[in-house]
Amino acid sequence: SKEPGVFIQESTSAGDGLTVTNYDTKYQAVNVYATYSPKLKWDHTLNILLGYNVEWTNFKQLESKRVGFTTTKPAFALMDGEASVTDKGCYDWAYMGAFFRLNYNIKSRYLFEVSGRYDGSSVLASGRKWAFFPSAALGWRISQEDFMSNAVNVDQLKLRAGVGVTGNSAVSPYGTLGVISSYYMPFSTGNEQIFVTNEPYYSSGSN
């Protein structure tokens, strides 16, 4: 009560409210790689790179709410009214991959590169989570050729051509899973609830 002898009935339909939302995100990553450059003859150079990486994320959102009190109070323990705790959402995803790259050049003029990745992602559909992505490239550093020795205004000139395959895992963590949704549809007997999934050629309900 605000005054002696005067009592105010608190309710869930009027008065102040307090909402506290907690976000918890955990992220872990491991990246390991090694390089090797053997000694070759005749102005040949070889560089080898091998690596491995894994990433994991977990996210949780929790909302606590209490409504139906007429004066603002600093903590939930001091509040009257109706309380609720809602799990607003959570998700997790994981990513893993191994990769390599080979660089070979002759006299720093003629360049060859081969690389590849074998990656997997938890967000992709079953049977399509893993794939190999190769690439290759050729280069010619023209500025290192003898006929370019008089081109004093050109420090670096190189031609490069490459081809490769890449992937895309930029989808929601559960976007490739089947989801069932419910709707109310008008029929001759009235509105009836039906269930529809994003999997093709499937639905249930009256008709």
Side-chain angles (χ1 to χ4, degrees):
S1 64
K2 293 186 176 181
E3 299 179 5
V6 178
F7 296 91
I8 300 176
Q9 181 66 38
E10 298 183 350
S11 69
T12 60
S13 60
D16 291 333
L18 179 64
T19 301
V20 177
T21 303
N22 296 316
Y23 301 92
D24 182 22
T25 301
K26 297 178 181 179
Y27 173 77
Q28 294 178 338
V30 176
N31 295 279
V32 180
Y33 68 92
T35 59
Y36 176 62
S37 301
K39 294 183 179 180
L40 304 178
K41 298 180 180 179
W42 305 297
D43 296 326
H44 291 216
T45 303
L46 176 64
N47 295 308
I48 303 173
L49 171 69
L50 298 175
Y52 167 84
N53 72 296
V54 59
E55 300 178 42
W56 173 81
T57 289
N58 177 267
F59 170 81
K60 295 180 180 179
Q61 180 181 351
L62 187 67
E63 183 180 271
S64 302
K65 179 186 296 185
R66 189 181 284 270
V67 296
F69 48 93
T70 56
T71 57
T72 302
K73 301 174 184 178
F76 279 102
L78 302 176
M79 295 175 185
D80 299 319
E82 182 176 305
S84 64
V85 178
T86 306
D87 185 356
K88 300 292 289 186
C90 64
Y91 65 81
D92 60 352
W93 57 260
Y95 172 87
M96 182 182 297
F99 55 91
F100 75 92
R101 185 178 65 207
L102 303 177
N103 293 98
Y104 181 75
N105 74 76
I106 303 173
K107 296 182 178 181
S108 298
R109 299 179 187 177
Y110 314 110
L111 315 174
F112 309 90
E113 180 180 295
V114 177
S115 62
R117 295 187 61 98
Y118 186 67
D119 293 329
S121 177
S122 66
V123 303
L124 301 179
S126 178
R128 298 179 178 270
K129 294 183 181 296
W130 293 90
F132 178 66
F133 306 100
S135 66
L138 298 175
W140 178 24
R141 189 171 282 119
I142 305 175
S143 56
Q144 298 294 323
E145 297 289 353
D146 294 338
F147 61 80
M148 293 291 293
S149 60
N150 294 326
V152 295
N153 294 325
V154 179
D155 294 329
Q156 292 287 339
L157 178 61
K158 182 174 71 173
L159 296 178
R160 178 183 171 92
V163 61
V165 178
T166 186
N168 180 16
S169 61
V171 298
S172 62
Y174 308 108
T176 58
L177 299 179
V179 178
I180 297 178
S181 303
S182 64
Y183 301 91
Y184 283 92
M185 296 289 290
F187 296 102
S188 58
T189 57
N191 293 336
E192 296 189 25
Q193 188 178 24
I194 66 169
F195 298 89
V196 180
T197 177
N198 59 356
E199 298 291 336
Y201 314 119
Y202 176 83
S203 64
S204 67
S206 303
N207 52 44

